[in-house]
Amino acid sequence: MCMRTLSTAGNGKTDQALRRSYLYVPSSSDRMLDKSLSTPSDIIIYDLEDSVPPSPHDKDSARQRLSTFLSVQHKLPHPERIAVRLNDITTPFFEHDISEILKSPFVRTLVLPKIHSARDLHHVSRAVRTSRARTSTPFPIRIIASVESARSAWNLGEIASWASEYGPDVGGKLGALLFAAEDYCADTSVVRTPSRLELLYVRSQIATAAKAFGLDAIDMVCVNYKDLNYLKDECEDGRRLGFNGKQAIHPTQVDIIHSTFVPTEKEIFRAAKILHQMEVAHSSQKGAIGLEMEGGGKEMIDAPMLKQAENIIRVAKAAGLEIPGVG
């Protein structure tokens, strides 16, 4: 089995692109496809799976509709924002989906539902290799593995560490783990509650596994799309657990996801102070400082907290947020 290298350098990320929101768009609707062109969502997931009725006619029709939509180059979002969720590998639709969708040079990301093991990703990789042999595309396909079952949660380590036997340019590259909470609950008999405590363990495991191998961690859909206060609370909860972003099922959810999955003003100011004061300390051959706390007292700041501060400033800059001067 081909394995990825365990990341020991922060979160393993080197690119500056923010991937906070992942908005699902049903490929069964021309109206929804056209509306997707105006969404500010960081990533747009054109869906061939759950939002499309299960009949062969509906699946074929949605696939052809999306293929036609993706052929109109002048109006599409930037390719880095385009993702397609295929039907899972056990369905009769998967091979047709991947063959048709990868004809488009604008699709850079595939979302693969019901990934239970590394073996499933090898199956996907072989299909990517076969489909891309008919085209000349120089970029690797980014694969997002959806964690939806007890088996996939049990096998998180082997899933997160997977690498294509053909290499990333030919067989694709794993870029993220995504949590499909409702499918997971259906598989495990977990009872959903507004507190989300029943999902704390598996969400923590997904975020940790993703960060161990330099992947993005994408949190669950907030199915209560009318209650934006609850959405904000769920976003804050996911960010605290280490998720980079969140799935959305309605355009009104995108702005709150964007504003929550970035550092707060207070966090940015504290991080900027740490960077400045640690720079001064290092110039004086000191490895730690005492940082004044709100309400009095001091907290010890050393290398791990410096790394946290650097991550906060990196994300803030990528989001275009102001970094205060503290010198």
Side-chain angles (χ1 to χ4, degrees), residues 45 103 106 139 142 183 260:
I45 303 178
K103 289 178 183 177
F106 308 114
F139 51 84
R142 182 172 183 258
D183 294 272
T260 309

Side-chain angles (χ1 to χ4, degrees), residues 285-303:
Q285 297 184 321
K286 296 178 182 178
I289 59 170
L291 187 70
E292 297 283 348
M293 300 175 64
E294 286 188 18
K298 284 189 174 183
E299 60 177 327
M300 182 63 69
I301 304 295
D302 57 6

Side-chain angles (χ1 to χ4, degrees), residues 111-160:
V111 180
L112 275 303
K114 298 176 177 59
I115 296 298
H116 304 300
S117 66
R119 178 185 294 181
D120 293 343
L121 287 170
H122 282 306
H123 183 104
V124 172
S125 182
R126 286 190 289 271
V128 168
R129 177 175 177 255
T130 300
S131 297
R132 300 190 85 197
R134 310 184 190 105
T135 63
S136 56
T137 45
F139 51 84
I141 294 295
R142 182 172 183 258
I143 295 172
I144 298 177
S146 186
V147 177
E148 306 190 11
S149 66
R151 279 182 60 208
S152 54
W154 188 262
N155 292 325
L156 270 173
E158 70 169 61
I159 292 171

Side-chain angles (χ1 to χ4, degrees), residues 70-131:
L70 292 172
S71 68
V72 186
Q73 177 180 357
H74 69 275
K75 69 175 185 177
L76 290 175
H78 190 280
E80 295 298 329
R81 297 178 61 211
I82 296 175
V84 177
R85 180 165 71 169
L86 309 179
N87 290 284
D88 80 77
I89 62 173
T90 66
T91 68
F93 313 116
F94 169 74
E95 299 290 346
H96 297 294
D97 286 351
I98 197 165
S99 175
E100 184 64 32
I101 294 307
L102 288 187
K103 289 178 183 177
S104 171
F106 308 114
V107 176
R108 307 287 172 88
T109 300
L110 297 177
V111 180
L112 275 303
K114 298 176 177 59
I115 296 298
H116 304 300
S117 66
R119 178 185 294 181
D120 293 343
L121 287 170
H122 282 306
H123 183 104
V124 172
S125 182
R126 286 190 289 271
V128 168
R129 177 175 177 255
T130 300
S131 297

Side-chain angles (χ1 to χ4, degrees), residues 53-287:
S55 75
H57 172 76
D58 287 312
K59 293 292 188 182
D60 293 346
S61 176
R63 185 189 310 115
Q64 190 54 54
R65 183 176 288 107
L66 179 58
S67 179
T68 301
F69 175 80
L70 292 172
S71 68
V72 186
Q73 177 180 357
H74 69 275
K75 69 175 185 177
L76 290 175
H78 190 280
E80 295 298 329
R81 297 178 61 211
I82 296 175
V84 177
R85 180 165 71 169
L86 309 179
N87 290 284
D88 80 77
I89 62 173
T90 66
T91 68
F93 313 116
F94 169 74
E95 299 290 346
H96 297 294
D97 286 351
I98 197 165
S99 175
E100 184 64 32
I101 294 307
L102 288 187
K103 289 178 183 177
S104 171
F106 308 114
V107 176
R108 307 287 172 88
T109 300
L110 297 177
V111 180
L112 275 303
K114 298 176 177 59
I115 296 298
H116 304 300
S117 66
R119 178 185 294 181
D120 293 343
L121 287 170
H122 282 306
H123 183 104
V124 172
S125 182
R126 286 190 289 271
V128 168
R129 177 175 177 255
T130 300
S131 297
R132 300 190 85 197
R134 310 184 190 105
T135 63
S136 56
T137 45
F139 51 84
I141 294 295
R142 182 172 183 258
I143 295 172
I144 298 177
S146 186
V147 177
E148 306 190 11
S149 66
R151 279 182 60 208
S152 54
W154 188 262
N155 292 325
L156 270 173
E158 70 169 61
I159 292 171
S161 65
W162 173 84
S164 172
E165 60 195 303
Y166 308 112
D169 290 341
V170 176
K173 178 181 175 64
L174 189 64
L177 300 181
L178 175 150
F179 183 40
E182 305 310 318
D183 294 272
Y184 176 81
C185 289
D187 185 68
T188 58
S189 301
V190 167
V191 178
R192 287 282 265 124
T193 69
S195 74
R196 303 178 296 276
L197 286 175
E198 67 282 354
L199 297 175
L200 176 60
Y201 174 76
V202 68
R203 289 168 77 206
S204 299
Q205 289 291 94
I206 290 169
T208 300
K211 299 309 172 68
F213 294 96
L215 309 175
D216 283 343
I218 307 166
D219 203 8
M220 58 193 183
V221 165
C222 181
V223 293
N224 187 353
Y225 65 91
K226 292 284 189 180
D227 189 341
L228 298 183
N229 290 325
Y230 182 80
L231 169 64
K232 184 171 180 60
D233 182 65
E234 194 170 286
C235 288
E236 290 172 345
D237 182 37
R239 182 170 173 257
R240 283 192 296 266
L241 289 175
F243 286 92
N244 305 94
K246 190 173 184 66
Q247 301 160 78
I249 54 172
H250 196 279
T252 57
Q253 296 179 314
V254 170
D255 285 345
I256 287 178
I257 292 173
H258 281 183
S259 64
T260 309
F261 278 92
V262 290
T264 64
E265 286 186 17
K266 185 180 293 186
E267 290 170 341
I268 295 170
F269 182 65
R270 178 177 177 274
K273 284 203 301 182
I274 289 173
L275 263 59
H276 172 69
Q277 293 186 26
M278 285 295 283
E279 183 179 2
V280 173
H282 288 167
S283 68
S284 302
Q285 297 184 321
K286 296 178 182 178

Side-chain angles (χ1 to χ4, degrees), residues 36-50:
S36 74
L37 299 174
S38 60
T39 180
S41 184
D42 291 335
I43 306 293
I44 307 164
I45 303 178
Y46 295 104
D47 189 26
L48 294 172
E49 196 212 13
D50 284 349

